[in-house]
Amino acid sequence: MKKNLVYGAIGLFSLSSLSAVMAEDQSKVTLETIDVVGVTPLPGSGVDAAKIPANIQTVTSEQLEKAQSLSLNEYINRYLGSVHVNEAQNNPLQPDIYYRGFVASPLLGLPQGLSTYVNGVRFNEPFGDTVNWDLIPKGAIDTMALVPGSNPIYGLNTLGGAIALKTKTGFSAPGHQFEVYGGSWDRHSEELTSGANNGTWGYFLDVHNFGEQGWRDFSPTRAKQVLGTLSWQNDRGELDLTLAANDNDMKGNGAAPEQLLGLGRKAVFTHPDQTITRMFFSELSGSYDLTDDIEVSGNAYFRQNRIRTFNGDDSDFDGCEDESGFLCDESGEFPVVDINGNQVLEDDSVEGATNNTSATNMRSRGGTLQSMFKQDWFEHENNLTVGASYDYADVHFGSDTELAQLTDDRGTIGSGILVRDARVRLNTNTETYGFYLSDTFSVTDDLAVTLAGRYNHVSITMANQFIDGEDKLSGKHSFERFNPSAGFTYQIIDNVGMYGSYSESSRAPTPMELSCADENDPCRLPNAFVSDPPLDQVVAKTWEGGFRGNFDKFMERGDMKWNLGYFHTVNHDDIIFNRGGDSISEGFFSNVGQTRRYGIEAGTTLNYAQLFSGIDDWHFAANYTYLNARFMDGFTIQNPLNEDEPAQVTRGDRIPGMPEHIFKASIGVDLWKRFSLGIDGLYSGDQFFRGDEANTTPKLAGYWLFNAKAEYKVNKHLALFGKVDNIFDKDYASFGVYGQADEVLGDAFDSGRFVSPGAPRAGWIGVRLSM
């Protein structure tokens, strides 16, 4: 098996099989191109893409560069089907990425339904299964694949899909490049990449510095990222040692009251809302061909991520109703006690605001070992992959609430007084092991059948480090399940095929969810965890099928790819955050029965050479998704506009935060092989506000967005580029949630509706030097 191939995020690459036809005086060679896709998160040899019973979407480093994307998440939001973004944090490095109604987000408390991998290493955080998109520099990404469905091979959290990244090496990305750009909001980016190899040894290095003041008030961000890989390979094997680190300080002040934003889109409600991430990542991965038909591959890793948050918020505390002079909770009956056990006196320095802080130190280690067998069975082509994985993570989580006062611009000044009831010190250990198998058997040249399955076992131990009265946090939990899948592909004609599959996957309740699961003792996200009753694991069952085609000689000089499919996923024992308690921000996690997400996906890409004058190459792409996401069982929630009243969720109510219609299109042209122009647009339909599971209030409006870009290659070493986002300066919001603003801003701001505004028109220009 040849090793110096450009793997995709899950092993996408091209192989050419040669068919030589001998003539009297020369040999003519015909090349047949076959796309091969890996069937597991671990990069390596794979299976003919036409035999994979799913529509996998891929992204290459060349596409990321040409699109001038700030990050991977910006690219997949604009160009990949069935993806949309909620900008709940209003920070460009911290989006909520949704695919088919399943989320991968940095926010604690969201039901994470997408698994993420980097070089075969799971990147969902061990405490809340969250995904921090700011950790890996964009320039270090070689390829990415978005795998649809509840594919069990990708392990826990693959309820709706998986995102798998492969980073660059000195063999996949030789060369040296320096790119710098700047523009609106004082945004600037400097990135240096360098890679080389001598045929046996290779290296790759990416160093990235990013900063901006942000387009909203009090919202600066800086990010420093580095990734390096040392590689070795020969004809039969390869090894990669990858090291990565980052030091990021991000402020994104999130949703604000609609009436406040009506006075100015830059306004924030309270501030700061700060997240600091510091990660160190190390991995040794490799593969070896025991024979021409048997490949062994594996990896071992250590990963540490330290996350600190500081949220300046309004306060639920006020003077006691008995006029005793002490500070009480929102009920007005129970005095606030500080960390030393003393009642807190009512004073301006401790009223009106709180500083909610947290520190999470996560250390993960583990590895994967797998073998792939490409040996015919009964004279039929067969590809069998078997593997095992082990992951162990220990987490130290701490959080505090400090009493504070609001400034005139709604910032906070801390008093130094910490609330005893809000303190959390929790240690958790999570041990996960899995065994998996996938087999693709070619019944005929046109018909292939795939069977796969994975067994997962998760053990979670939680130890309360701050016990004040009854210990409701400490406990042990274990979850296990075997998840199967089956599918087929059939090539109807040479360039049109069909596929269908059934798959199951699951996710275990996270330590964070288990720490906040008692309806009689609600907690305040993301800080105050108080109780530890059991939750059931979530099981997703997906049916999907469709058609796809590839026309290599469309209208003689073009190539066209298209897909049309249907998906249907039901989550059993789905977990949501059910608001309840004395505040709209308090609640508990609970299993709410079944939720369903089904829809239609359609997409096409067309590349056409020399359409008009012989000097132009045109590119067109479009994707449409119809997404129907609904609750299938009824339950009771807190009315988002009146905390004293319940609201009833009934079968068929739409799941909040998910648009029903998503459309994307892009068109571009390359002129004289030097100058390129492009424009892209997307439509995201209306959605219900987060917290309105009963669908009782007006929806957040949908929106259209258009962006443009251009690039001029002066020569093969120098390129100038620029882009404009939101070219029509659309005033829109991508996310809505409920809150209480009247106590801070007055009765004129009592609608309870908070939204995250989208960025206004902005532009950037840059230069790229390559060698």
Side-chain angles (χ1 to χ4, degrees):
M1 298 180 187
K2 190 178 179 182
K3 293 294 174 181
N4 56 343
L5 300 170
V6 181
Y7 290 114
I10 56 167
L12 179 68
F13 57 95
S14 293
L15 292 175
S16 295
S17 59
L18 302 182
S19 172
V21 179
M22 301 298 297
E24 290 183 0
D25 57 350
Q26 65 180 6
S27 297
K28 295 182 180 180
V29 179
T30 302
L31 298 178
E32 178 189 358
T33 299
I34 302 174
D35 288 334
V36 177
V37 178
V39 294
T40 75
L42 197 64
S45 299
V47 176
D48 182 354
K51 298 180 180 181
I52 299 294
N55 181 48
I56 297 175
Q57 300 179 80
T58 59
V59 179
T60 66
S61 58
E62 291 79 9
Q63 290 172 309
L64 287 171
E65 180 177 285
K66 190 169 184 177
Q68 300 178 34
S69 298
L70 166 66
S71 58
L72 174 66
N73 48 268
E74 181 182 273
Y75 182 92
I76 64 179
N77 179 47
R78 293 186 179 181
Y79 297 102
L80 297 194
S82 299
V83 176
H84 78 279
V85 163
N86 285 349
E87 296 171 305
Q89 296 286 81
N90 259 154
N91 185 285
L93 303 181
Q94 294 178 291
D96 299 343
I97 298 292
Y98 281 83
Y99 173 63
R100 290 185 175 181
F102 294 90
V103 68
S105 166
L107 287 178
L108 281 172
L110 290 187
Q112 310 288 339
L114 300 176
S115 60
T116 59
Y117 290 87
V118 175
N119 297 339
V121 175
R122 179 179 165 87
F123 250 58
N124 294 73
E125 303 292 356
F127 189 57
D129 290 335
T130 55
V131 179
N132 290 289
W133 297 102
D134 60 295
L135 303 181
I136 301 297
K138 180 201 67 175
I141 298 172
D142 190 20
T143 50
M144 184 223 78
L146 179 55
V147 183
S150 308
N151 190 329
I153 300 300
Y154 285 80
L156 297 172
N157 292 90
T158 313
L159 305 183
I163 297 173
L165 307 181
K166 176 71 173 70
T167 59
K168 295 176 179 177
T169 70
F171 293 95
S172 68
H176 316 284
Q177 181 173 287
F178 179 68
E179 179 181 285
V180 58
Y181 70 84
S184 297
W185 318 320
D186 293 332
R187 177 180 292 179
H188 63 89
S189 172
E190 301 84 32
E191 188 164 22
L192 172 68
T193 61
S194 178
N197 71 82
N198 64 3
T200 301
W201 292 92
Y203 80 91
F204 175 81
L205 178 67
D206 184 293
V207 180
H208 182 218
N209 178 63
F210 172 85
E212 67 170 22
Q213 288 304 307
W215 69 272
R216 295 181 70 191
D217 297 334
F218 312 108
S219 300
T221 289
R222 65 164 179 82
K224 301 179 185 296
Q225 306 157 320
V226 61
L227 182 144
T229 300
L230 177 66
S231 303
W232 170 89
Q233 72 173 31
N234 64 13
D235 291 340
R236 302 195 71 86
E238 62 180 20
L239 284 173
D240 294 312
L241 175 64
T242 301
L243 302 176
N246 77 277
D247 183 2
N248 300 344
D249 186 346
M250 302 164 289
K251 291 182 180 178
N253 289 299
E258 285 183 321
Q259 298 98 321
L260 181 62
L261 293 173
L263 303 177
R265 292 163 68 181
K266 295 182 178 181
V268 300
F269 178 47
T270 59
H271 68 92
D273 190 344
Q274 181 182 30
T275 301
I276 297 173
T277 62
R278 293 192 174 105
M279 179 201 69
F280 171 75
F281 171 66
S282 60
E283 180 201 22
L284 179 65
S285 63
S287 64
Y288 186 78
D289 293 342
L290 297 177
T291 70
D292 290 342
D293 300 322
I294 302 176
E295 179 192 74
V296 176
S297 57
N299 67 8
Y301 73 92
F302 172 80
R303 179 173 178 261
Q304 175 174 280
N305 196 8
R306 293 172 293 165
I307 302 176
R308 303 181 69 88
T309 66
F310 184 104
N311 299 321
D313 298 318
D314 62 346
S315 177
D316 295 329
F317 305 119
D318 206 346
C320 296
E321 290 182 354
D322 61 7
E323 299 183 354
S324 61
F326 291 104
L327 195 69
C328 276
D329 65 8
E330 191 176 34
S331 71
E333 299 177 2
F334 301 101
V336 175
V337 178
D338 69 15
I339 200 65
N340 298 312
N342 302 314
Q343 293 186 20
V344 179
L345 291 172
E346 183 180 1
D347 184 84
D348 288 343
S349 65
V350 296
E351 291 187 77
T354 54
N355 291 329
N356 294 303
T357 61
S358 73
T360 311
N361 188 356
M362 297 171 284
R363 292 186 296 268
S364 307
R365 70 282 286 169
T368 301
L369 181 65
Q370 76 175 30
S371 297
M372 185 168 189
F373 305 88
K374 293 187 174 182
Q375 297 167 319
D376 289 352
W377 286 8
F378 309 107
E379 299 183 348
H380 290 262
E381 182 181 337
N382 190 77
N383 293 273
L384 172 65
T385 301
V386 295
S389 65
Y390 177 81
D391 301 275
Y392 181 85
D394 58 89
V395 178
H396 302 278
F397 175 85
S399 68
D400 280 297
T401 295
E402 178 189 22
L403 299 175
Q405 67 180 36
L406 279 177
T407 63
D408 291 338
D409 59 11
R410 296 183 298 282
T412 61
I413 299 175
S415 66
I417 299 175
L418 303 178
V419 178
R420 185 176 183 86
D421 286 347
R423 169 159 286 193
V424 176
R425 298 293 186 270
L426 178 66
N427 293 348
T428 70
N429 296 315
T430 303
E431 184 179 42
T432 306
Y433 56 84
F435 303 95
Y436 58 87
L437 176 149
S438 177
D439 186 78
T440 300
F441 181 74
S442 297
V443 181
T444 68
D445 290 341
D446 297 322
L447 176 64
V449 175
T450 297
L451 297 175
R454 181 181 180 118
Y455 170 78
N456 299 306
H457 185 278
V458 184
S459 298
I460 301 172
T461 302
M462 303 194 302
N464 190 358
Q465 303 299 299
F466 182 77
I467 301 175
D468 186 16
E470 182 183 357
D471 182 6
K472 297 183 179 181
L473 278 180
S474 298
K476 294 184 178 180
H477 308 265
S478 62
F479 306 90
E480 62 180 347
R481 195 172 197 275
F482 176 78
N483 294 312
S485 71
F488 76 94
T489 61
Y490 181 70
Q491 204 66 19
I492 302 172
I493 56 177
D494 287 344
N495 48 20
V496 176
M498 65 180 297
Y499 63 90
S501 69
Y502 172 79
S503 57
E504 296 182 9
S505 190
S506 57
R507 80 171 181 92
T510 67
M512 191 270 302
E513 291 171 330
L514 291 166
S515 303
C516 177
D518 188 347
E519 63 178 318
N520 297 316
D521 201 358
C523 65
R524 182 185 180 96
L525 283 179
N527 295 77
F529 304 144
V530 293
S531 54
D532 175 36
L535 291 169
D536 294 326
Q537 62 180 327
V538 182
V539 177
K541 301 179 179 181
T542 298
W543 295 90
E544 64 180 295
F547 300 87
R548 56 195 175 197
N550 185 355
F551 300 99
D552 293 332
K553 295 182 179 180
F554 182 75
M555 295 175 62
E556 295 185 357
R557 294 194 301 272
D559 66 86
M560 176 183 179
K561 294 182 179 180
W562 61 271
N563 63 276
L564 176 64
Y566 171 82
F567 63 90
H568 181 282
T569 301
V570 175
N571 280 6
H572 298 257
D573 295 316
D574 212 353
I575 297 175
I576 70 164
F577 184 68
N578 195 328
R579 285 163 176 79
D582 295 329
S583 168
I584 196 171
S585 59
E586 291 185 350
F588 58 95
F589 291 96
S590 63
N591 295 109
V592 295
Q594 295 185 4
T595 60
R596 182 185 65 193
R597 298 158 179 83
Y598 73 86
I600 297 172
E601 300 171 321
T604 184
T605 60
L606 172 63
N607 298 299
Y608 200 88
Q610 303 176 2
L611 182 61
F612 296 115
S613 59
I615 59 172
D616 55 327
D617 295 331
W618 290 83
H619 315 281
F620 173 78
N623 286 285
Y624 168 75
T625 301
Y626 168 72
L627 173 62
N628 191 310
R630 299 184 183 272
F631 295 103
M632 302 305 293
D633 290 296
F635 55 95
T636 302
I637 63 165
Q638 184 185 73
N639 188 318
L641 297 179
N642 187 341
E643 63 193 45
D644 297 324
E645 293 182 0
Q648 183 63 39
V649 178
T650 60
R651 177 183 173 92
D653 285 340
R654 277 179 59 182
I655 301 175
M658 301 181 192
E660 205 167 18
H661 302 279
I662 305 169
F663 177 76
K664 305 174 183 181
S666 62
I667 186 170
V669 60
D670 299 328
L671 300 172
W672 303 287
K673 305 296 183 181
R674 286 179 175 268
F675 184 60
S676 63
L677 290 169
I679 186 170
D680 63 84
L682 69 85
Y683 171 75
S684 183
D686 55 23
Q687 57 183 273
F688 283 98
F689 278 51
R690 184 177 294 170
D692 186 19
E693 286 81 6
N695 300 173
T696 59
T697 62
K699 292 179 284 189
L700 182 70
Y703 57 90
W704 281 95
L705 276 184
F706 293 91
N707 313 287
K709 61 182 182 292
E711 180 175 325
Y712 178 68
K713 295 180 180 178
V714 180
N715 53 46
K716 65 179 182 178
H717 300 298
L718 175 63
L720 308 175
F721 59 89
K723 69 173 184 176
V724 177
D725 286 352
N726 194 1
I727 56 180
F728 299 115
D729 201 21
K730 174 69 174 179
D731 188 352
Y732 71 100
S734 66
F735 170 75
V737 69
Y738 286 93
Q740 295 168 322
D742 52 336
E743 293 183 2
V744 174
L745 298 173
D747 292 340
F749 297 84
D750 63 351
S751 73
R753 293 165 63 89
F754 283 55
V755 299
S756 292
R761 180 171 50 229
W764 301 270
I765 57 174
V767 59
R768 185 184 306 115
L769 301 174
S770 304
M771 296 180 60

